[in-house]
Amino acid sequence: ALEVRADALHASDELLRLVGMDREVFEGLGFPGVLESLVHSDDRERVDAAVQVAVESGTSLAYESRLSAPLGERLVRVRGEV
């Protein structure tokens, strides 16, 4: 799960395990950094749009995306609260 707020980005232990990063590094990237460095280039626009809709409307977030993580490419289903 992923929680995106104006001032913070919080990832579940499972998401951190899947991307092979520790919490400090992942959350230190912030959403723009995660989008640029981990989300597959073909998925970035769609993921960014999904997050923006959730932030603007205050709704929950759910999408599938490929992540280009240190442990290799992964297909993930992300659910989160904004």
Side-chain angles (χ1 to χ4, degrees):
L2 180 68
E3 181 181 358
V4 180
R5 295 186 314 202
D7 61 344
L9 177 72
H10 299 284
S12 68
D13 291 340
E14 180 68 10
L15 180 56
L16 294 171
R17 186 189 66 75
L18 287 172
V19 299
M21 298 176 86
D22 66 37
R23 183 171 306 284
E24 184 176 296
V25 172
F26 183 91
E27 293 178 356
L29 291 171
F31 179 71
V34 168
L35 188 65
E36 184 63 32
S37 63
L38 293 176
V39 176
H40 191 282
S41 59
D42 292 341
D43 296 345
R44 285 182 194 140
E45 187 175 317
R46 181 176 47 78
V47 169
D48 189 36
V51 170
Q52 294 306 316
V53 166
V55 168
E56 291 170 7
S57 66
T59 59
S60 60
L61 175 66
Y63 63 85
E64 287 187 356
S65 173
R66 292 167 288 176
L67 296 181
S68 301
L71 297 177
E73 187 172 295
R74 309 250 184 204
L75 178 62
V76 296
R77 289 184 181 143
V78 176
R79 294 182 320 240
E81 299 298 322
V82 179

